[in-house]
Structures are given as structure tokens and as C-alpha cells.
């Protein structure tokens, strides 16, 4: 997703794709139709990132809390995921995009896990861009899993607790080795982070839009990017001045 002509970032955009259900209801459609339209928006966004020089895109596709939805909707979302992975892996290859995964894959249905692993493997050599899917992902769950893995290593004598710092901790997260998001977009009008990338968004710029996810397109993405470019990121320091 790299385009050297487009400077100024953001390099990494994360998106909370909200509003599929409301989009469907307003059209007298079923919620699943909204999710299906959401898949088209994912496709458009991956292509737009390539055009606009965004190297990394991280999408919140299914949270650890989404299991509370009716079983029919959960099943339909898992089926959509399998269809998406089957249909899109050619497009990812075409755009040189490597797929990444955030979350706990152990609870995913076997077919979804198998398909996911196939596409992760198929695209593993791609270097132009990266698409991370957060599935069965929760920021708190991720931090707890990282803490557990550290505790295991400390009790086995493999890690010295006095040497644990932010860098070591981050290396145990699902995003190990990835840059933090520069920009977090949330569609659908709500203004909260809903357990998404809690550690990684410490200094991320936030951008909210009332647009429902299925209506999100390149114009909205461009608007978010331009807004981002107008901001001054200080990371807790003072402004260097003019
Ligand atoms: C929220 O809409 C959206 C989600 C549950 C996650 C996003 C899912 C997709 C874009 C489709 C599935 C994609 C994959 C890759 C599995 P909502 O249902 O909460 O909308 P509402 O707030 O209007 O009800």
C-alpha cells in the first residue's frame, strides 16, 4: 500500500467499522445484509489505502464481546469471514498485501481458523502493505494474554522481572513488531474505543464520523487523512515551535 508520492502519513490506520446494523435497518434489510455491504467497504478501503499511500490497515472485525450477539448473527459473521478470506486472497496478492491477525484464534470455528491460516501463509511474503484483521480480539484480553506469557517466562526463569520494560511488554502483544496506529477511525457515530488496541492507541489521533461503515469510501478516508495531516503530534513533549 505504499505510494512514495504521498508524504505526511499516516502510515498505519486502525478502523472500528460500526453501523452495519443501522445501515441495514434503514433500508428494511437484515443485519447480515449490512455486514455483507461492510465487506464491500473493506475491499474499497484496502484499495484506497494502496492509492493513498497508507502502508498498514488494522480492522476491528469481531470483538471478544461480539460473542454476546445472537448465535445466528455470530454464525453469519463467521461465514462471511470465511467467504471474505476465500474471495479476497487473490486481491491481497495483487496489491502485495500481507494479512496479519490480532486476537485469540483458539475460539474461532475450525473452518474460519483454517482459512485464516491459509491466507496468512499465502500472503506472508508480501511486503507492499499490510492488512491486520482483529478477530475475537479485545484489548484487555490481549494485555492479559501478554501478562500471562510474561509470568510463565518469569516463573520458568527465562525472563528477569527487573528487566521488564514497555518494549518487552509490547513484544508480547499481538502487535509485536508492528508500529502503533497513527490514526484511529470510528464510523457509525459513537465516540468510544470499545476495547480496541488499548495499549497501542496511547498517542493515536482519533477521528469519528457518523457515516455508517457500509457507506464509508475513499472520500471519507481522504478527509480523515487530511484532517490527520493538519494535526500536531507532540507525544507528551512541547511543541518545537515554528
Ligand atoms: C458493527 O456493526 C460491525 C461489526 C460487528 C464488525 C464489522 C464486520 C464487518 C464489516 C463484516 C464482517 C467482516 C469480517 C471480515 C468478518 P454493528 O452490527 O454493530 O452495527 P450497528 O451498531 O448499527 O448495529
Amino acid at each position: 500500500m505504499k505510494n512514495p508520492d504521498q508524504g505526511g502519513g499516516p502510515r498505519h490506520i486502525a478502523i472500528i467499522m460500526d453501523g452495519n446494523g443501522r445501515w441495514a435497518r434503514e433500508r428494511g434489510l437484515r443485519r447480515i445484509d449490512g455486514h455483507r455491504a461492510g465487506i464491500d467497504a473493506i475491499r474499497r478501503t484496502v484499495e484506497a489505502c494502496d492509492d493513498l499511500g497508507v502502508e498498514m490497515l488494522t480492522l476491528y472485525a469481531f470483538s471478544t464481546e461480539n460473542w454476546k450477539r445472537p448465535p445466528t448473527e455470530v454464525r453469519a459473521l463467521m461465514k462471511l469471514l470465511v467467504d471474505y478470506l476465500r474471495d479476497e486472497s487473490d486481491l491481497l496478492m495483487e496489491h502485495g498485501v500481507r494479512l496479519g491477525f490480532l486476537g485469540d484464534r483458539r475460539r474461532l470455528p475450525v473452518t474460519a481458523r483454517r482459512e485464516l491460516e491459509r491466507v496468512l501463509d499465502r500472503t506472508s511474503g508480501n511486503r507492499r502493505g499490510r492488512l491486520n484483521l482483529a478477530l475475537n480480539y479485545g484489548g484487555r484480553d490481549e494485555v492479559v494474554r501478554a501478562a500471562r506469557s510474561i509470568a510463565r517466562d518469569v516463573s520458568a526463569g527465562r525472563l528477569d522481572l527487573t528487566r521488564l520494560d514497555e518494549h518487552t511488554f509490547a513484544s508480547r502483544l499481538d502487535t509485536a513488531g508492528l508500529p502503533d496506529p497513527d490514526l484511529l477511525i470510528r464510523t457509525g457515530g459513537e465516540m468510544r474505543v470499545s476495547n480496541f488496541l488499548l495499549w497501542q492507541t496511547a498517542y493515536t489521533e482519533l477521528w469519528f464520523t457518523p457515516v455508517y461503515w457500509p457507506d464509508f469510501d475513499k472520500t471519507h478516508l481522504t478527509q480523515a487523512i487530511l484532517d490527520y495531516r493538519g494535526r500536531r503530534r507532540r507525544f507528551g513533549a512541547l511543541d518545537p515551535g515554528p
Side-chain angles (χ1 to χ4, degrees):
M1 299 186 199
K2 199 177 223 147
N3 180 347
D5 299 339
Q6 317 280 325
R11 263 183 85 195
H12 180 185
I13 297 183
I15 307 186
I16 300 175
M17 308 177 288
D18 198 12
N20 297 348
R22 281 163 285 164
W23 181 92
R25 195 177 59 227
E26 287 179 12
R27 287 161 179 77
L29 300 170
R30 298 164 307 163
R31 292 181 57 80
I32 186 61
D33 297 314
H35 294 316
R36 199 166 287 127
I39 294 278
D40 294 334
I42 293 181
R43 190 173 299 128
R44 279 198 303 273
T45 305
V46 168
E47 297 202 323
C49 282
D50 195 1
D51 289 349
L52 297 167
V54 178
E55 293 167 45
M56 191 171 294
L57 179 65
T58 298
L59 302 176
Y60 203 8
F62 193 89
S63 75
T64 44
E65 288 69 39
N66 286 153
W67 297 105
K68 294 181 206 155
R69 294 189 176 206
T72 44
E73 180 165 342
V74 171
R75 270 198 301 276
L77 278 166
M78 291 298 152
K79 185 175 180 315
L80 268 186
L81 168 66
V82 171
D83 293 346
Y84 170 75
L85 291 167
R86 284 197 183 131
D87 295 348
E88 298 305 296
S89 76
D90 283 347
L91 189 77
L92 297 179
M93 292 307 290
E94 207 177 290
H95 285 267
V97 175
R98 176 179 180 182
L99 187 73
F101 174 80
L102 312 182
D104 187 347
R105 66 180 85 180
R106 290 171 300 185
R107 198 175 167 188
L108 294 177
V110 179
T111 41
R113 212 163 56 210
R114 202 180 300 135
E115 201 55 39
L116 180 72
E117 278 157 10
R118 190 185 68 78
V119 183
L120 287 171
D121 190 48
R122 183 176 180 211
T123 60
S124 63
N126 290 346
R127 291 286 174 270
R128 187 173 155 85
R130 174 136 178 166
L131 170 65
N132 301 312
L133 285 186
L135 288 159
N136 188 28
Y137 174 88
R140 290 181 174 179
D141 178 68
E142 179 189 32
V143 169
V144 170
R145 283 186 287 109
R148 281 206 185 117
S149 105
I150 288 164
R152 266 196 304 271
D153 282 359
V154 170
S155 55
R158 289 188 293 263
L159 181 68
D160 175 359
L161 197 49
T162 60
R163 300 189 60 179
L164 178 65
D165 56 12
E166 290 185 10
H167 182 76
T168 316
F169 196 91
S171 73
R172 303 293 176 119
L173 296 169
D174 298 340
T175 49
L178 305 181
D180 288 341
D182 300 299
L183 175 64
L184 171 68
I185 295 174
R186 181 172 185 142
T187 62
E190 310 285 0
M191 295 195 198
R192 53 177 171 260
V193 292
S194 301
N195 205 12
F196 191 38
L197 301 173
L198 296 181
W199 171 282
Q200 299 86 343
T201 53
Y203 283 101
T204 299
E205 296 295 326
L206 308 179
W207 195 81
F208 299 99
T209 173
V211 170
Y212 295 147
W213 175 247
D215 288 328
F216 189 82
D217 62 20
K218 191 174 177 181
T219 321
H220 305 113
L221 186 68
T222 305
Q223 228 176 317
I225 289 175
L226 290 177
D227 195 339
Y228 168 88
R229 288 184 183 163
R231 297 189 192 182
R232 273 210 286 266
R233 302 185 74 191
R234 292 187 295 274
F235 299 95
L238 292 184
D239 221 327

